[in-house]
Amino acid sequence: MTQDHSALLAQLDALKSADAGAVFAELIRAGLQALIEAEATEAIGAGRYQRSDGRAAHRNGHRAETVSTTSGDIEVKTPKLRAGSFFPSLLERRRSIDRALHAVIMEAYVHGVSTRSVDDLVAALGVGSGVSKSEVSGSAPAWTRRSTRFVPAA
């Protein structure tokens, strides 16, 4: 418990000296990381460095995942397992942007904004990695399938 408390105090000191944009990005990263670790602990059946008879697997390092949010790019670490696999339910496989940013891209695409302008819009929102034109137009079939559920057949 003392280690958790001192780590929180160190994080608080770092946040005090950061600018407002970095504060929100760090808070999102810390929250996501804590939720990912809790989910991994539940899936494994034991916490880090904890011995347990009900353990399903052992941790074997971490894998860095970059998630683009409206507060900028955030890097979280997902635990790797020696046997089996683990991927957090909060993140989506092969998707590097969060749902809010995905909704902004979808709205711009539906309104006919060019893919280059969508990339500029995403960059203006603080996502350094941007989105490729194939990522924007490649999602169009999924958006079309979703939108046809709400449009009555003629």
Side-chain angles (χ1 to χ4, degrees), residues 68-73 97 101 104-105 108 114-132 136:
S68 298
T69 67
T70 52
S71 295
D73 289 346
I97 56 176
L101 193 55
V104 168
I105 294 169
S114 70
T115 54
R116 181 171 290 176
S117 297
V118 170
D119 187 38
D120 293 342
L121 173 68
V122 169
L125 289 173
V127 177
S129 59
V131 291
S132 65
V136 173

Side-chain angles (χ1 to χ4, degrees), residues 23-33 69-71 74 76:
V23 168
F24 285 115
E26 176 58 25
L27 289 174
I28 291 170
R29 189 208 59 76
L32 272 175
Q33 191 65 53
T69 67
T70 52
S71 295
I74 296 170
V76 293

Side-chain angles (χ1 to χ4, degrees), residues 84-151:
S85 66
F86 171 76
F87 195 81
S89 61
L90 286 172
L91 304 178
E92 294 182 41
R93 292 186 187 270
R94 293 174 292 283
R95 175 178 280 175
S96 62
I97 56 176
D98 71 342
R99 293 178 192 267
L101 193 55
H102 189 265
V104 168
I105 294 169
M106 182 171 54
E107 183 75 20
Y109 186 84
V110 167
H111 286 291
V113 177
S114 70
T115 54
R116 181 171 290 176
S117 297
V118 170
D119 187 38
D120 293 342
L121 173 68
V122 169
L125 289 173
V127 177
S129 59
V131 291
S132 65
K133 62 181 180 181
S134 61
E135 190 175 2
V136 173
S137 21
S139 301
W143 301 334
T144 305
R145 281 194 304 275
R146 275 192 236 155
S147 65
T148 55
R149 290 186 287 175
F150 301 107
V151 178

